[in-house]
Amino acid sequence: MSSAWLSDSQKIGVGLTAFGSLFLLLGVLLFFDGGLLAIGNVLFLGGVTMLIGLSKTFAFFARKNKLRGTLCFFAGILLVFMRWPIIGMMIEVFGFINLFGDFFPVVIAFLRRIPVIGPLLSAPGVTHLVDRLAGTRYPV
């Protein structure tokens, strides 16, 4: 599999986004460790910016129909930086769902094609639950 269609800065952006997500997951698993959550937020935002570009990132977060999600997402990040990690992450997750919720069906369709995760997500009881949570109307 070749990633020739990604530029070098976009490849770095994918890595930063992945590491940011990993740090956010570790921060939550380690009882809302503020330092890991803060590093994860910075890496995630930096990765998204390098992946799609500065102007497209600004346009994405400045869309009028996503204003509530943007405000909650950045307010949550600010609360994490101000050492209120639990409340900050709750607000941030609400904003994240409002901002990136349109991508969930695409992510689920991609995950269903991965060898180990795909059969798990396609199991009879899990399919219905995942489709309902992701907002898809039919399994892919």
Side-chain angles (χ1 to χ4, degrees), residues 3 35 65 67 74 87 95 104 108 124:
S3 60
N65 61 339
L67 187 60
F74 285 109
I87 296 170
F104 290 163
I108 295 299

Side-chain angles (χ1 to χ4, degrees), residues 2 13 25 37-39 41 44-45 53 56 58 62 74 76 78-79 86-87 120 128 132 135 138 140:
S2 174
L25 178 68
L37 293 173
I39 291 169
N41 283 325
F44 181 80
L45 285 175
K56 287 184 182 178
F58 180 74
F74 285 109
L78 185 66
L79 285 171
I86 296 173
I87 296 170
L120 264 170
H128 178 69
R132 190 167 206 182
Y138 52 88
V140 177

Side-chain angles (χ1 to χ4, degrees), residues 26-50:
L26 284 174
V28 170
L29 289 177
L30 295 173
F31 304 111
F32 294 95
D33 180 54
L36 288 174
L37 293 173
I39 291 169
N41 283 325
V42 170
L43 289 173
F44 181 80
L45 285 175
V48 168
T49 303
M50 289 189 74

